Amino acid sequence: MLQTAELYKSMGIDEEVYAFGEDILSSLKERFESIDETAQYNQLKVLRAMQEAKVSEACLLPTTGYGYNDLGRETLEKVYAGVFHTEDALVRPQITCGTHALALALMSNLRPGDELLSPVGKPYDTLEEVIGIRPSKGSLAEYGITYRQVDLLEGGGFDYEAIRKAIGAKTKLVTIQRSKGYQTRPTLSVERIGELITFVKGIKPDVICMVDNCYGEFVERLEPSDVGADMVVGSLIKNPGGGLAPIGGYIAGRKECVENAAYRLTSPGLGKEVGASLSILRDFYQGLFLSPTVTAGALKGAVFAANIYEHFGFPVIPNGTEERYDIIQAITFGKPEGLLAFCRGIQAAAPVDSFVTPEPWDMPGYDAKVIMAAGAFVSGSSIELSADGPLKPPYAVYFQGGLTWEHAKYGILKTLQEMKNCGMIRL
Ligand SMILES: *Cc1c(COP(=O)(O)O)cnc(C)c1O
């Protein structure tokens, strides 16, 4: 029988790279234990929500047509509300992605004359057109909804004075992005989000606080809805889909906020009552069930990568020892060769399309070529092992996911092997 090291070798990881990885790993025991403890807590949280909502075999069956009285859909939404400790939730395959879920939450809860405030700087790229920061058809701006932004302070702190000044009579909704996304600012912990919400509500109690929860679900024991958020919003092809959901988004929150979103998603008067689930519910349930451990695996991969690349002097955000609040790892290589080698490694480690070589391409909306590596079961799913970065200085890669820790580990070792082979590092 082949030993693990030999099997690695037969799959392109030499002894030196393997041994180096094991060495780094031996220093991460406590770290991984704490990640596992969080996963244990969140697994119980999800399980309890499923039991309390009385998920039954009938909930997993397909529905068609209007989807009136769709037991599985209604129960799943109860489960999400149970997990996030909210009054209600909207969890639908008709919500096509995270941007759609966020746009829906915003457009349905804002009215002409209202103002939207981001007290945490510029939101995720795709929201620029939703808000109208970059003009677009059907943006909030076109409907007479204005936007204000307060940037974070130099060190990543909240600019409380400026936020106080920015909240006015028109301020209806405050949007808070938990994950740094593809920026260099720190990701916000749930605790810090809670402090910000308390401050905002102290000034204006009836303002709606919405959190873009993408990439953050199940990384901590608490979710933003546990610390005062009126709505949490995310994508099912990230953490909460557990790698099984093939599409979808969710909005969990106060009844009125969720109802507004449902009336916008389907139609005024119909709201949550329609929207057949087809045969997707089993994947939604099972994906949510697996999500705490899948998220833990992705986190371990991120921590492992940070510790490996930090060792070679590459700037990593977050660093090897920092507390984690999302699953994204940024590594700066300073040279295009590093970015390309890293992406080659991730691609070569994939279960799907491992034989293709990722090439930089002109992606719409970007001013430089972008390289992306992913060999996913669900197209574009970023809870699966994936990496991307713009081919321009400082040549940083943003890396995330891994449906299992074992796969993330192999992928990262593969990137290291590529880096070694092209002379970017010496072991
Ligand atoms: C991914 C992401 C989005 C948008 O999600 P899509 O599914 O790509 O549309 C929004 N905000 C953050 C922080 C994200 O990470």
Side-chain angles (χ1 to χ4, degrees), residues 97-100 102 124 126 177 179 181 212 214-215 235 238 328:
C97 60
T99 303
H100 186 189
L102 289 157
Y124 198 74
T126 55
Q177 185 179 312
S179 169
D212 173 352
C214 284
Y215 287 132
S235 161
K238 293 179 181 171
I328 300 177

Side-chain angles (χ1 to χ4, degrees), residues 32-303:
F32 279 26
E33 270 169 28
S34 126
I35 291 171
D36 286 337
E37 279 165 25
T38 303
Q40 164 87 77
Y41 181 92
N42 285 326
Q43 181 71 77
L44 291 178
K45 182 160 76 173
V46 168
L47 188 59
R48 183 163 81 177
M50 287 185 173
Q51 293 178 346
E52 283 175 355
K54 293 204 159 52
V55 176
S56 65
E57 196 176 357
C59 294
L60 310 176
L61 298 176
T63 58
T64 56
Y66 290 104
Y68 292 130
N69 305 311
D70 186 325
L71 176 72
R73 181 192 69 216
E74 288 171 5
T75 306
L76 180 72
E77 291 180 337
K78 277 190 198 140
V79 171
Y80 264 72
V83 166
F84 289 102
H85 305 127
T86 53
E87 290 172 359
D88 204 354
L90 188 66
V91 187
R92 302 284 168 126
Q94 290 85 6
I95 302 177
T96 56
C97 60
T99 303
H100 186 189
L102 289 157
L104 184 61
L106 291 171
M107 291 175 166
S108 60
N109 280 285
L110 289 160
R111 295 288 179 274
D114 288 342
E115 188 158 88
L116 168 69
L117 169 68
S118 171
V120 296
K122 192 186 84 62
Y124 198 74
D125 273 3
T126 55
L127 287 186
E128 289 184 11
E129 284 187 64
V130 171
I131 295 168
I133 300 171
R134 275 185 286 139
S136 185
K137 290 187 185 77
S139 69
L140 294 175
E142 271 199 353
Y143 285 90
I145 296 158
T146 53
Y147 171 69
R148 255 193 207 226
Q149 176 178 316
V150 175
D151 290 335
L152 293 171
L153 295 170
E154 198 76 8
F158 302 127
D159 190 345
Y160 283 118
E161 259 331 288
I163 295 170
R164 182 190 302 282
K165 283 195 197 120
I167 297 174
K170 287 172 61 182
T171 313
K172 172 76 175 293
L173 198 153
V174 167
T175 179
I176 302 168
Q177 185 179 312
R178 179 172 175 180
S179 169
K180 64 184 162 305
Y182 302 120
Q183 290 176 277
T184 50
R185 72 146 166 101
T187 286
L188 302 176
S189 66
V190 170
E191 188 183 357
R192 289 192 65 208
I193 290 172
E195 286 161 15
L196 181 57
I197 291 174
T198 304
F199 178 80
V200 166
K201 298 241 177 196
I203 295 166
K204 195 168 184 183
D206 61 347
V207 81
I208 299 168
C209 290
M210 178 187 96
V211 175
D212 173 352
N213 212 20
C214 284
Y215 287 132
E217 298 92 349
F218 304 126
V219 171
E220 298 182 66
R221 290 172 192 225
L222 293 180
E223 296 293 336
S225 41
D226 293 314
V227 294
D230 299 292
M231 275 192 286
V232 286
V233 182
S235 161
L236 298 196
I237 63 166
K238 293 179 181 171
N239 309 15
L244 292 186
I247 192 171
Y250 76 90
I251 299 172
R254 280 205 289 114
K255 195 160 191 49
E256 195 193 342
C257 295
V258 172
E259 189 164 55
N260 279 333
Y263 272 44
R264 175 83 189 209
L265 175 65
T266 63
S267 152
L270 299 182
K272 292 182 76 184
E273 304 301 320
V274 295
S277 307
L278 308 176
S279 27
I280 215 162
L281 288 174
R282 174 192 305 278
D283 290 337
F284 281 10
Y285 279 108
Q286 199 172 356
L288 179 67
F289 178 74
L290 293 176
S291 175
T293 46
V294 168
T295 302
L299 268 177
K300 287 177 186 173
V303 171

Side-chain angles (χ1 to χ4, degrees), residues 3 13 23 47 78 89 106 128 155 160 174 262 285 298 332-333 343 352 381 407:
Q3 292 302 312
I13 308 291
D23 213 35
L47 188 59
K78 277 190 198 140
L106 291 171
E128 289 184 11
Y160 283 118
V174 167
Y285 279 108
T332 301
F333 294 109
C343 289
V352 179
S381 165
H407 178 226

Side-chain angles (χ1 to χ4, degrees), residues 248 363 395:
M363 212 176 133
Y395 300 102

